[in-house]
Amino acid sequence: MSAMIFTLRFQPEQRLDLSCLTADRLDGLSEKEILALPVSTTKQPLALGELFRVTMGEPGAIRIQARYADGLDNIGLGMRRGSIVVEGGAGAYAGRRMSGGSLTIEGDVGPFAASGMTGGRLRVEGDAGDFLGGPRSGEAQGMSGGVVVVTGRAGARAGDRMRRGVIAIGGDAGDCPGSRMIAGVLAVFGNCGERPGTLMRRGTIVLGGEAAGWPPTFVENGAVELVTLHILATELKDALPPSHLAPLKGRVRKLAGDMAVLGKGEILRLAV
Amino acid sequence: MAVRLGKAQATAESALAEAARILAGSRLALLTGTGSDVAGARAALRLAERIGGAVDFRRDPALLALDALMAERGLIFTTPAEARARADSLLLIGPGVARSAMLAQVLKGTPLLAAPDGAERTTLWLCPGSAADTLPGFGIQDYGGDLSAIHGILALLNAAMRGHPAPGQGFGGLAPGIFEDIAGRLITARYGVVAFSPADLDALAMEALLSFVQALNQTTRAALLPVSSDAGTQTFAHVSGWLTGFPPRTGFMAGAPDYDPWRFDATRLIECGECDALLWLSSFEASAPPWRTKLPLIVICPPGAQFVRPPEVLIETAIPGNEADAEFWSEASQSLVAVKAAGPTGGLTAAAALTGILDRLETSSR
Amino acid sequence: MIRLKGGRILDPANGRDEIGDLFIEAGRIAAPPPDPEAAARSYDLAGKIVMAGGVAMHGGLAGPNANAARALMRDAAPGTVGGIGLAYAAIGMTTAIEPALIPEHAVETHLQLGDIPFIDKAALALLGNDDALLRLIGEQHGERAIDDFLGWTIGQTQALGIAAVNPGGAAAFKDNLRAFAFEDVVPGYGVSARQIVEALIGSVQRLGLPPALHLECNNPDRPGSFVTAIEAMEAAAGLPLHLAQIQRHGFGAEGAEGFSSASAFLAEALAYHKNVSVDAGPMLFGARVALSADPARQFERSAGAGKWVVWDGEGNGGGAVPDRASETDYRHAIQWAVGLELCLLIDDPWRLALTADPAALPQIIQWLMDADARAECIARLPKPAMAMCLLPKLDREFSLYEIAAVTRAAPARILGLADRGQLGIGAVADIAVYGEQADKAAMFAAPDYVFKDGELIVEAGKVKASRVGRTLRARPVAQGQIASWLAQHDEALYGRAAGSFAVPDAFAGAESCFGDVPCRT
C-alpha cells in the first residue's frame, strides 16, 4: 500500500498544529474529512486543505513534504503506530508523548522533540532544539522510553529528567545534557556545553568529546569496559556511522555523580 | 492623565473604541507588560480570553523558572515575617537579595522564636558580589564566592551536607572547608532560612537549593525564602492562577487556556512575527515595550513613559495603591494585600480601561 | 413568583417529607399565595425529589494551599475558581466553606472566594499556631484578651468563624517536633494543644460566633488518632465543638500492620458528647492532591512523593502533596472504610455533615445509601484490611431524608446559617431538584434543576444563568482593647503593622460581596 502524502503548498502565516497527522487520527477519514482537519494555532481558523495537497494512501505510512517550512508543530504528537517521514524540518514538540511507531525528520527540529516520549523511534537527520526528550515547563516527567537519534547537534538540556530509553546525539550538545536524569542512556558523540549531568540521580551519560565545563561533584571512578556499551553500539549500528560507535567497544573513563544529589549516575568518557 | 491616538490627544471613548478595533481585527494579539493590580489582571485575562490572545507577564524569566520548579518538584518555603522571628541561621545567596527592602526587615528583627529566650542570628552570605557592603550593621559573615560559579558552589554545598564524596579543593573563589562549614551551620540550626533572589539563579540552581533544603528537613528544620519584588508580575501570576489554572505564559486561541512558556514568550512571539497586535499593560510604572516593532501598539500605563514611536493608542492610568485603591502583591509580606490610595485622583484605572475595551468588543460583536 | 409544583419535599429542618408545592419570591421561600395558579412560572416536579441547596462544610476552596495544589496539578488538570463554583452548583450544592483561611493571606483568599461563581461562600479564620494566641494563653492575659483577639481576627479577615488545624503542632513543627499529641507543649510557650483548644472553644462561645470552633485535631491519619479526637471532645466540657475531617481520626493500632479501624470508639464517644458535631469526608480511590494547612502532616506525607509543597507561615502554613489512593493498599483500604463507617455509625444526623469534593460526593452518597454498592467495592480491597474494619458488617443504608439532613440541614445548623439548608418560609431559595434513580451516584451527580436565591442556574446539566454569590461573614461585638497590644507585638516580632492583611469591605472597583450572618445570642 502506498503512503499518504501531504505536500505543503506555501509557507503559512502562522504556526501550524499538525498533531492530526497520525495513523490513529487519520484512520477511516475520507479525503474531504482530512482536508477539513483544523491546523490553526491562532483564532483564525485554518483547515489542512488550505495549505496542503493530499495524496491519499495508507495512514500507517505518512509523508509530509514541507521543505523550507518552519513552525510545523506537534508532528507525531502522541503517535502510537505507523511511520511518519517529514521531508523538511519540524517545529516544536515533534514526537512529543509518542509511544510507538517511527518518526523521521529529514531536517532540523525545534525544542521539546520527543518530550515525554514513552516508546517508538524518532530520527532527526538535522539538528534538534533545546530540551530534547525533556518535559515541558511545569511537567514532572521527561522521556520514559523509546529511542531518539539526532545525527546533527542538539540544544541545551537534552535528556532532562529522562527516566528510561536511549537518546543518541551524533554531533555536539548544548549546556547541561542529562540534567536531572533519573535513569536511561544519553549518548553525546561530539562535545557538550557546561555541566553535563547536573543534578542527575541515576542513569548514564556517554560523552565522546569534551565538556565546556564540569560540575565539581562528579568523582573519578577508573577506566572500565562495559558490556552495556557494546549493546548500545549494536542498537545504534544502523543509526549512526561506525566511526562514532567504535569507541563504545573500548575502555571508557567513568565519573560517578552527581554527588550534589543521590550520586548514583555516571558519565562515561569515550576514547580514554 | 492623557489619552492619545498616535500623537493626537483623544477622548477616552475614542481610544477605547480604537483599541477594541485593533484587537478585534488581530489574528494573534499579545498582551504583555510589567503587570497590574488584581482588578487590572482580571480584566486583562478576560480580554485575552475574549480576543483569543496570548498573555505573557513574565518579563523576568527567573520568576518563570521558580514557578516551574514549584510545579515540577514542589517547594519548601517560609514567609519573611516568620524568617525574621524564627531563623537563627540565615544563608543569603547572591547579590540580588540586597535589592529587596524586605530583607532588611528580616535582618532587623531578633529571632525571638528560635529559642525560649530568643537567640542570636547567624547570617551568612554566599556570592554577594558588589552588594556585600549594602547591608552594614547586621554582622553578616561574607564568604565571597563567584556568582558565575553558583552551580558548582551549590553542588558542593549539597554534597557536603549529605556527606557525599567530592573534591576537597576550593571552588568558585571559595576556600576548601567552607562548604562543610556552611552545611554544618545549617544542620545544627534550629530553623535555617535560605534567601535568594530568583533573578540571580537559573532553574537548575534553584532546584539545587530546593534539594538542599529538602534534605536538611530530614533531620532539622529549614526553608527557602525567595525574595521577589515584582508587584505587577507577581500579582498577575496569582490572578492568572486562580482564574485560568495557570500562571502566564498562556494562550487563549482555542478558548481554554494553553499554558506554554516557550510558545507564548513575548520576545519570541515578536521576534518570530507570530503576533500581529500588542497590548502593553504596565500599571505600576510608566514603561514602554522594550522591542522595536511595527505592530499596532496599545499602551496602558501611568503618565511619563517614553516611546520611540507614539503608540496607536495610549491610555494613561492611575497607579494602584498610590492614586487608586487596589489589591496587589506585597514584597514585604510576599502575599496579596489591599491598599488604600495614598492620594486618590479619581483617574482611570487599568481595570476600567481594559473593561472599557472589552465592553466595546461586546457591543460591536452584537 | 415561581411555583415548584408537586415534588417530594425532603426538608429535615422542618420535619417535612411530603408531596407538596414550594413558592419562591424575591429570592426566598414564600408562603403559598391565595391563588397558586397565578405564579408567573411553574415547574411540574411530579416524581421529583426536592431538597434545599447543599451546604459543603469543608471545601479547600481558596488561598495559598489551593494555589500550591494548582501548581502541582499543572501537568494534569489544574482547577480554577470558575471550575470550583460550577462543580458545586452542578450537583446542587449552593454554599461552600473554606475551612482554613490563613489570616496573613486573607486578602487573596477572599479575592479567590469572590471569583467563585454561582454559590455562596464563607471562610473560617485559622488560629491556634500563631504567636499572638499562644502568647495570650501562655502569659495568661485572660479570657477577655483572647475574646478581643478572636473578634479582631474575625473583623480583619472577614470570616464567619474560627478554625484550628493541628493546634500547637504546626508551631512545634518549626521547632522540629514531628509529632504533637493533645497534652504536648509547644516549646517556648508552655502551652499544650488542650489549652489552645479549650481557650478557642470558650472564646468562640462567648463571642457567639455562628459556628462552633472548627477543629482538625492533632496527629491525624495515625494509628491511635481516635484518642486525640476523644480528648478534644472531653476538653470541650459540654460546650459546642465541631471536629472536622473526623475520618482522619478513626484509626487504631490493631492488627499485623498496626493500623485498624477505631470508628466504633469514636462513634460511641460522639453519642455521649452531644455538644460535639463532626464532618466526615469519605475518600475515593485514585489520584488526588492532599491539601492541608498542617505543614507537619504535609511533610510527613511527602515521604516518597515525587513533588510536594510544604510551607511554614506565621501561624499554620501548610502545603499540598499529590498521591494516589490505591485499592490494593492496606492503609488506603482502611482509610476508605473508616470514612464510611463513621457516617454509618453516627446515628444522630443532626451532628454529622457529609463533606467531600463535589466530584466525589455523589459516589459517597451512593455508598451510604446502598450496601450492595459498598460490598462491591469491599470485594476488591485487601481482605486482611477489611478484617480490621467494621464496614463489611454494617448494613445500614441512609434514606433520602437522612441524606438531606447530612448534606443540607445539619451542616447549615452546625454553621449557624439559619436560613439555609432548609425550605421553610423565609429561607434562602437555594433549591436542588433531583430525578429519583436507583443509581444514587448518577442521581446526585445530575440534578434536574438547581435554584440559587430563587434563580434557575442549572437545568439538566446545563448552566442557565451565571451569577456571583455572596461571602458570608460574622460581625461579633468585640472590645478593641487588644489592638494596641497587637500593634506592639506585630511590630516587634514581625516588623509589620498589625492588620496589614486586613480585608476591606469592598475590593477596589467592586461592590461589597459580603453578607452578614447574625451571631448567636
Side-chain angles (χ1 to χ4, degrees):
Chain A
M1 193 78 184
S2 60
M4 189 178 277
I5 302 169
F6 298 88
T7 310
L8 186 66
R9 294 185 292 159
F10 50 87
Q11 169 68 34
E13 281 186 314
Q14 54 169 290
R15 304 189 79 81
L16 300 185
D17 173 6
L18 295 185
S19 57
C20 56
L21 301 187
T22 62
D24 284 338
R25 296 278 299 275
L26 295 175
D27 234 357
L29 296 189
S30 69
E31 183 169 347
K32 197 176 160 206
E33 287 167 326
I34 289 173
L35 290 170
L37 287 169
V39 294
S40 169
T41 61
T42 72
K43 69 178 177 186
Q44 182 183 70
L46 201 55
L48 188 75
E50 292 176 53
L51 294 159
F52 284 89
R53 204 171 43 238
V54 180
T55 309
M56 290 300 283
E58 170 58 45
I62 293 167
R63 292 190 83 81
I64 300 171
Q65 299 177 327
R67 289 207 193 279
Y68 316 115
D70 56 16
L72 306 185
D73 293 344
N74 296 336
I75 292 177
L77 177 80
M79 76 181 282
R80 298 190 300 173
R81 62 192 171 89
S83 73
I84 301 176
V85 175
V86 183
E87 297 174 18
Y93 307 118
R96 177 168 151 86
R97 292 194 168 155
M98 74 183 279
S99 59
S102 85
L103 171 60
T104 303
I105 319 278
E106 294 181 351
D108 299 342
V109 295
F112 300 101
S115 162
M117 178 177 182
T118 60
R121 296 181 75 91
L122 169 67
R123 179 175 174 81
V124 178
E125 295 178 351
D127 297 339
D130 294 343
F131 289 98
L132 175 68
R136 242 164 83 150
S137 168
E139 291 177 349
Q141 301 291 343
M143 176 171 165
S144 64
V147 177
V148 175
V149 174
V150 175
T151 59
R153 291 167 304 177
R157 307 277 300 267
D160 182 47
R161 248 183 122 64
M162 180 175 186
R163 276 164 67 92
R164 209 175 305 137
V166 174
I167 298 177
I169 299 161
D172 297 343
D175 286 343
C176 304
S179 53
R180 315 190 291 172
M181 264 178 91
I182 299 161
V185 178
L186 169 69
V188 179
F189 291 96
N191 299 320
C192 75
E194 299 278 347
R195 302 186 309 280
T198 295
L199 297 178
M200 80 187 288
R201 295 169 60 78
R202 299 172 195 270
T204 301
I205 299 174
V206 176
L207 181 60
E210 272 301 323
W214 287 93
T217 39
F218 278 78
V219 296
E220 287 285 347
N221 217 336
V224 288
E225 192 176 326
L226 292 168
V227 176
T228 49
L229 294 187
H230 285 256
I231 296 170
L232 182 65
T234 310
E235 189 161 355
L236 296 174
K237 76 176 168 20
D238 299 326
L240 288 171
S243 57
H244 278 61
L245 304 177
L248 292 173
K249 297 179 183 165
R251 284 165 75 77
V252 299
R253 222 172 92 208
K254 183 172 165 184
L255 302 168
D258 181 347
M259 294 301 164
V261 284
L262 192 63
K264 298 200 170 170
E266 58 189 8
I267 299 181
L268 304 176
R269 301 200 58 190
L270 304 182
V272 185
Chain B
M1 283 181 286
V3 177
R4 288 175 193 277
L5 290 172
K7 286 183 184 156
Q9 288 279 1
T11 62
E13 175 54 44
S14 59
L16 296 173
E18 176 61 7
R21 193 193 62 77
I22 292 171
L23 295 173
S26 68
R27 183 176 64 229
L28 176 52
L30 169 63
L31 283 69
T32 185
T34 72
S36 194
D37 63 329
V38 168
R42 191 190 278 126
L45 285 159
R46 299 228 159 106
L47 182 60
E49 217 170 345
R50 170 68 179 71
I51 61 172
V55 167
D56 178 6
F57 285 89
R58 280 299 199 209
R59 70 171 158 176
D60 185 353
L63 288 175
L64 187 73
L66 178 62
D67 184 273
L69 177 63
M70 176 134 152
E72 292 170 21
R73 310 286 295 120
L75 211 55
I76 178 157
F77 65 97
T78 190
T79 61
E82 191 62 18
R84 170 182 156 118
R86 190 174 294 270
D88 59 339
S89 189
L90 179 59
L91 174 61
L92 312 179
I93 309 277
V97 287
R99 281 197 295 274
S100 166
M102 180 263 266
L103 185 69
Q105 272 306 108
V106 170
L107 289 166
K108 271 181 203 153
T110 310
L112 295 166
L113 307 183
D117 312 313
E120 288 287 306
R121 171 156 33 228
T122 309
T123 303
L124 319 172
W125 202 346
L126 263 179
C127 308
S130 58
D133 319 325
T134 54
L135 293 167
F138 295 116
I140 300 176
Q141 197 169 336
D142 174 4
Y143 279 89
D146 180 0
L147 186 66
S148 68
I150 190 68
H151 296 96
I153 290 171
L154 296 178
L156 288 166
L157 196 56
N158 259 309
M161 192 261 299
R162 287 162 217 253
H164 284 179
Q169 65 264 42
F171 186 89
L174 296 173
I178 280 186
F179 304 102
E180 287 73 14
D181 177 40
I182 297 174
R185 286 172 188 252
L186 281 155
I187 288 167
T188 53
R190 294 176 69 103
Y191 195 90
V193 167
V194 181
F196 64 97
S197 164
D200 284 341
L201 304 178
D202 66 6
L204 289 175
M206 281 189 261
E207 185 158 342
L209 271 186
L210 172 64
S211 181
F212 181 65
V213 171
Q214 280 180 340
L216 276 171
N217 275 287
Q218 298 307 318
T219 53
T220 182
R221 288 308 322 281
L224 293 172
L225 181 65
V227 176
S228 50
S229 53
D230 215 337
T233 54
Q234 288 284 35
T235 303
F236 208 104
H238 276 75
V239 177
S240 181
W242 80 66
L243 287 181
T244 73
F246 304 97
R249 304 158 175 168
T250 38
F252 296 88
M253 286 96 250
D258 176 9
Y259 171 73
D260 188 337
W262 171 78
R263 186 173 164 216
F264 300 117
D265 173 353
T267 303
R268 199 198 67 78
L269 284 170
I270 287 170
E271 284 174 358
C272 296
E274 288 174 25
C275 54
D276 57 359
L278 186 56
L279 186 152
W280 179 260
L281 171 63
S282 177
S283 296
F284 290 91
E285 52 187 284
S287 72
W291 311 280
R292 276 183 170 276
T293 156
K294 297 202 170 84
L295 295 176
L297 176 62
I298 303 158
V299 173
I300 299 174
C301 77
Q306 301 294 319
F307 300 95
V308 182
R309 131 186 111 75
E312 275 67 13
V313 180
L314 171 65
I315 302 171
E316 291 180 346
T317 50
I319 298 173
N322 194 350
E323 298 167 333
D325 295 354
E327 297 82 40
F328 51 85
W329 177 259
S330 151
E331 181 193 0
S333 62
Q334 302 276 301
S335 65
L336 294 177
V337 292
V339 180
K340 282 252 163 246
T345 57
L348 194 66
T349 61
L354 291 159
T355 309
I357 298 172
L358 191 57
D359 288 346
R360 271 136 197 101
L361 283 167
E362 300 297 346
T363 329
S364 61
S365 68
R366 259 178 225 140
Chain C
M1 178 172 276
I2 298 171
R3 179 188 192 187
L4 304 184
K5 189 180 166 193
R8 181 180 160 199
I9 298 168
L10 284 165
D11 183 16
N14 295 299
R16 285 176 85 184
D17 177 359
E18 63 196 11
I19 309 286
D21 291 359
L22 281 182
F23 296 89
I24 304 171
E25 191 157 63
R28 299 256 165 189
I29 307 288
D35 176 14
E37 303 300 331
R41 185 82 215 262
S42 180
Y43 294 85
D44 183 4
L45 302 185
K48 305 290 184 194
I49 304 293
V50 181
M51 295 185 184
V55 178
M57 247 198 115
H58 196 93
L61 307 174
N65 291 312
N67 293 349
R70 199 173 284 129
L72 295 175
M73 292 289 284
R74 190 166 305 159
D75 47 8
T80 64
V81 288
I84 291 171
L86 182 60
Y88 279 109
I91 62 163
M93 307 295 281
T94 49
T95 304
I97 311 298
E98 163 51 52
L101 174 144
I102 293 181
E104 287 79 5
H105 292 271
V107 170
E108 178 167 9
T109 305
H110 275 294
L111 284 163
Q112 292 185 13
L113 290 178
D115 279 347
I116 292 177
F118 301 110
I119 61 172
D120 289 338
K121 295 83 55 171
L124 308 177
L126 204 49
L127 292 176
N129 284 293
D130 52 303
D131 182 79
L133 182 70
L134 300 190
R135 209 169 282 274
L136 290 172
I137 297 169
E139 293 172 359
Q140 302 183 350
H141 287 248
E143 287 180 354
R144 178 68 171 275
I146 293 173
D147 293 354
D148 283 355
F149 176 57
L150 263 64
W152 179 88
T153 302
I154 292 272
Q156 299 291 307
T157 62
Q158 308 276 19
L160 178 69
I162 296 289
V165 174
N166 189 6
F173 178 57
K174 293 178 210 164
D175 246 309
N176 209 18
L177 268 65
R178 307 282 165 132
F180 196 78
F182 202 60
E183 306 292 351
D184 285 349
V185 168
V186 187
Y189 298 97
V191 175
S192 65
R194 168 187 295 282
Q195 285 172 283
I196 299 167
V197 167
E198 286 174 355
L200 287 172
I201 290 172
S203 185
V204 166
Q205 168 78 5
R206 288 188 298 274
L207 287 168
L209 296 181
L213 175 68
H214 187 96
L215 173 65
E216 285 186 57
C217 296
N218 312 86
N219 281 341
D221 305 326
R222 291 195 170 165
S225 59
F226 75 99
V227 175
T228 320
I230 292 172
E231 285 170 330
M233 290 181 210
E234 285 166 355
L239 292 178
L241 169 66
H242 181 79
L243 293 181
Q245 300 293 287
I246 191 70
Q247 77 281 358
R248 298 177 64 190
H249 286 273
F251 307 117
E254 308 297 315
E257 305 264 341
F259 195 70
S260 57
S261 164
S263 48
F265 296 110
L266 261 190
E268 194 183 337
L270 270 170
Y272 177 75
H273 293 281
K274 299 203 187 302
N275 52 315
V276 177
S277 60
V278 300
D279 62 69
M283 67 171 215
L284 258 57
F285 291 100
R288 58 187 179 174
V289 180
L291 180 76
S292 163
D294 179 0
R297 175 63 192 130
Q298 293 302 69
F299 183 78
E300 186 179 44
R301 266 196 186 117
S302 74
K307 53 180 179 179
W308 44 274
V309 173
V310 169
W311 67 285
D312 295 311
E314 290 92 311
N316 269 72
V321 186
D323 75 345
R324 171 170 287 278
S326 159
E327 287 187 349
T328 57
D329 185 288
Y330 184 93
R331 279 192 171 228
H332 293 164
I334 289 191
Q335 286 167 350
W336 172 79
V338 162
L340 294 172
E341 281 172 11
L342 282 165
C343 295
L344 294 164
L345 289 168
I346 295 168
D347 51 16
D348 178 1
W350 285 105
R351 292 194 282 127
L352 170 65
L354 185 63
T355 175
D357 187 89
L361 194 61
Q363 172 64 76
I364 291 164
I365 290 175
Q366 183 190 35
W367 281 326
L368 293 180
M369 294 190 72
D370 184 343
D372 292 340
R374 295 199 294 268
E376 228 170 76
C377 191
I378 288 170
R380 294 197 298 271
L381 302 178
K383 290 202 167 48
M386 289 301 100
M388 302 310 296
C389 294
L390 286 174
L391 192 64
K393 302 183 196 78
L394 299 178
D395 53 14
R396 179 178 169 196
E397 292 181 336
F398 271 62
S399 64
L400 282 171
Y401 190 79
E402 287 168 322
I403 291 294
V406 299
T407 57
R408 272 93 178 153
R413 185 182 282 189
I414 293 166
L415 285 162
L417 304 175
D419 56 4
R420 279 152 209 269
Q422 55 123 334
L423 296 169
I425 290 162
V428 171
D430 293 355
I431 302 163
V433 178
Y434 301 94
E436 194 156 10
Q437 300 182 40
D439 179 344
K440 296 297 185 276
M443 171 178 167
F444 280 96
D448 291 18
Y449 303 101
V450 179
F451 295 86
K452 180 80 195 77
D453 291 316
E455 186 182 5
L456 181 64
I457 55 170
V458 175
E459 180 175 354
K462 295 246 168 21
V463 172
K464 301 302 283 185
S466 189
R467 62 187 303 287
V468 176
R470 305 197 82 68
T471 303
L472 307 174
R473 65 177 176 187
R475 318 226 64 190
V477 178
Q479 308 301 316
Q481 283 157 5
I482 200 71
S484 61
W485 182 85
L486 272 172
Q488 280 181 13
H489 168 270
D490 277 28
E491 178 54 44
L493 191 60
Y494 298 131
R496 71 177 182 211
S500 53
F501 47 75
V503 179
D505 280 335
F507 288 118
E511 313 234 308
S512 173
C513 61
F514 293 107
D516 293 348
V517 176
C519 284
R520 296 174 199 259
T521 45

